[in-house]
Amino acid sequence: QTVVTQEPSLTVSPGGTVTLTCASSTGAVTSGNYPNWFQQKPGQAPRALIYSTVNKHSWTPARFSGSLLGDKGALTLSGVQPEDEADYYCLLYYGGTWVFGGGTKLTVL
Amino acid sequence: EVQLVESGGGLVQPGGSLRLSCAASGFTFSSYWMHWVRQAPGKGLVWVSRIKTDGSSTNYVDSVKGRFTISRDNTKNTLYLQLNSLNTEDTAVYYCARGASSGYVISHWGQGTLVTVSS
């Protein structure tokens, strides 16, 4: 069973920069895993932020960016805003099926 | 505007069945892969299943294989998830989500429908 691992929690100061990562139990995360990233606030449905590693949706704020960092997928928030406090999930593709990471709770403090 | 509206959730006893629906509007439904994702109370997201544009290909997470069936009716712009042999671990909010017409993306989500499995 494939496991996707994210940091359980991170804390960042307003205006700061933070990188969230996404690791795969099968090995390095590659562009072939087509990493997607989602934001979820309490009581709300998830909202898509990034797809296919680096691509932003039309509604994604410019301060969010996706990349591969070493052997992991990564989501970087630059110039963090208080409203960015949320849970963040990565999603990886494995040849027919998808697997979510366990999520990162981002606190802006 | 893309809209996805789930329905059909509710309270069901262990071993029971339920059929979830997702009414889609604001886009050409037949051109997009569609997905179901669930989230147990206080837990993370779990990808459950996906179905190809014409219904000819489906995939499932191992934990639901043989129990859940995804389907779609492109004439009604509706996605379905048949849930059978339910157990308490299936208690969750079930979201439908729009996938890609091409490429590998999940872009739009419904608000979810709650399924509670309890005696």
Side-chain angles (χ1 to χ4, degrees):
Chain A
Q1 165 177 325
T2 302
V3 177
V4 177
T5 301
Q6 300 180 241
E7 298 85 0
S9 64
L10 291 170
T11 299
V12 61
S13 299
T17 296
V18 65
T19 297
L20 290 64
T21 67
C22 178
S24 172
S25 63
T26 64
V29 174
T30 71
S31 58
N33 294 117
Y34 303 98
N36 280 239
W37 290 91
F38 303 89
Q39 177 192 67
Q40 188 180 35
K41 296 182 178 180
Q44 296 184 14
R47 180 176 75 136
L49 294 173
I50 300 289
Y51 65 97
S52 295
T53 309
V54 299
N55 297 290
K56 299 179 186 182
H57 295 279
S58 60
W59 54 83
T60 303
R63 62 184 180 274
F64 291 87
S65 63
S67 65
L68 295 178
L69 203 60
D71 58 357
K72 298 179 182 181
L75 175 71
T76 299
L77 288 71
S78 305
V80 172
Q81 301 297 306
E83 61 264 30
D84 297 333
E85 183 162 294
D87 293 328
Y88 291 85
Y89 293 92
C90 71
L91 176 65
L92 300 181
Y93 180 71
Y94 293 93
T97 61
W98 294 83
V99 180
F100 279 98
T104 297
K105 183 176 183 60
L106 182 66
T107 300
V108 181
L109 203 57
Chain B
E1 178 193 3
V2 172
Q3 287 199 359
L4 299 168
V5 180
E6 301 93 336
S7 61
L11 176 63
V12 60
Q13 291 188 337
S17 298
L18 215 52
R19 189 176 83 154
L20 307 182
S21 300
C22 172
S25 61
F27 65 100
T28 304
F29 180 71
S30 59
S31 296
Y32 289 84
W33 288 75
M34 295 296 295
H35 301 255
W36 286 100
V37 175
R38 70 182 181 183
Q39 186 170 35
K43 302 296 185 182
L45 300 172
V46 175
W47 178 85
V48 173
S49 182
R50 72 167 184 170
I51 186 167
K52 193 176 177 180
T53 53
D54 61 358
S56 62
S57 176
T58 59
N59 300 96
Y60 299 90
V61 66
D62 285 348
S63 60
V64 309
K65 278 182 185 175
R67 300 189 300 122
F68 290 8
T69 303
I70 190 172
S71 62
R72 64 193 297 163
D73 186 336
N74 286 344
T75 66
K76 296 182 178 179
N77 291 345
T78 303
L79 174 72
Y80 302 101
L81 187 67
Q82 178 69 40
L83 289 66
N84 296 332
S85 302
L86 285 162
N87 58 61
T88 56
E89 294 177 349
D90 297 316
T91 293
V93 173
Y94 285 74
Y95 295 101
C96 87
R98 194 187 85 170
S101 56
S102 63
Y104 299 84
V105 56
I106 291 179
S107 60
H108 295 79
W109 296 70
Q111 285 303 303
T113 186
L114 176 62
V115 173
T116 303
V117 184
S118 175
S119 55

